[in-house]
Amino acid sequence: MSSNVGLSTPRGSGTSGYVQRNISHLRPRDNPAPYPKDFESAGYHQRQPDKEILDHDRKRKVELKVFEARVRMEDEECDEDEIEEYTSALRAKLLAEYAAEADISNESNARGLKRHQVHELAQAKIQESEKVRKALGISADYEEGSHWRRQDEKQREANFQGSRGDNYERSS
């Protein structure tokens, strides 16, 4: 027995004396409500991708291709100066291609992405949402639920006009 936990002796208890912690015990949370109390202000916010991480991934792809070219040339036993010259030219060419690709084509293929590529997925989702918004003709400054607010305002205005009309008829 250690630390005076459990039975002093398992004799006669019908158990082996093995002590376990109670996994089903729920501890109280420090923050009971991780969500805001005002649900209308919460709304949906699209997760923005980190541009630095996306740029870092592009640079990793470039360095991978440069490294493969370097290894291939070293296996062919090329001169070290020739390898350096070729790899630096290849690096510059690939960086220029990736930069042009990032600027021109915002079209990302989300099907080829893995679950751990969260920033690429977020970027693809933003592009998809933008494409759907344009296809449906939804304005960029559209607020979710604004239709219902306009209906409520019209109804209040109609009620106000109706009550003003009643007051006008009573006073005459």
Side-chain angles (χ1 to χ4, degrees):
M1 240 343 97
S2 64
S3 305
N4 290 330
V5 176
L7 304 171
S8 59
T9 176
R11 280 188 167 170
S13 66
T15 67
S16 66
Y18 182 73
V19 178
Q20 303 183 47
R21 68 185 183 107
N22 185 359
I23 298 174
S24 65
H25 174 70
L26 297 174
R27 294 188 199 124
R29 292 184 178 185
D30 294 337
N31 187 3
Y35 44 85
K37 298 288 183 198
D38 184 18
F39 290 110
E40 292 195 18
S41 68
Y44 174 72
H45 299 289
Q46 182 78 43
R47 179 177 180 165
Q48 298 297 317
D50 189 351
K51 303 291 183 201
E52 292 177 3
I53 292 176
L54 293 173
D55 189 42
H56 177 76
D57 287 343
R58 281 190 209 101
K59 288 178 182 176
R60 282 186 61 148
K61 288 179 185 175
V62 167
E63 288 302 318
L64 176 66
K65 290 182 181 181
V66 169
F67 183 74
E68 288 172 348
R70 173 180 279 281
V71 169
R72 188 179 64 245
M73 291 181 78
E74 286 175 352
D75 289 344
E76 295 172 0
E77 298 179 1
C78 293
D79 186 36
E80 188 65 33
D81 293 334
E82 184 182 340
I83 293 173
E84 284 298 322
E85 183 179 319
Y86 179 77
T87 55
S88 61
L90 179 65
R91 181 179 292 116
K93 177 185 142 203
L94 290 173
L95 284 173
E97 283 178 12
Y98 276 122
E101 179 183 307
D103 290 339
I104 295 170
S105 172
N106 284 335
E107 202 58 37
S108 176
N109 186 6
R111 292 177 194 241
L113 298 175
K114 307 278 190 280
R115 289 182 65 198
H116 66 274
Q117 295 174 309
V118 293
H119 296 278
E120 290 87 349
L121 287 170
Q123 183 179 25
K125 183 65 178 175
I126 288 172
Q127 291 166 358
E128 179 189 6
S129 297
E130 192 66 23
K131 186 188 285 187
V132 169
R133 183 188 64 76
K134 286 179 181 177
L136 295 176
I138 299 172
S139 65
D141 60 343
Y142 174 76
E143 269 185 55
E144 187 177 339
S146 62
H147 172 74
W148 301 111
R149 279 187 232 119
R150 277 188 259 135
Q151 278 188 342
D152 290 344
E153 288 172 7
K154 287 179 184 178
Q155 189 176 13
R156 274 191 231 120
E157 187 177 316
N159 289 343
F160 180 72
Q161 292 293 334
S163 65
R164 239 177 63 184
D166 292 343
N167 291 339
Y168 179 74
E169 290 174 11
R170 289 182 192 162
S171 62
S172 42

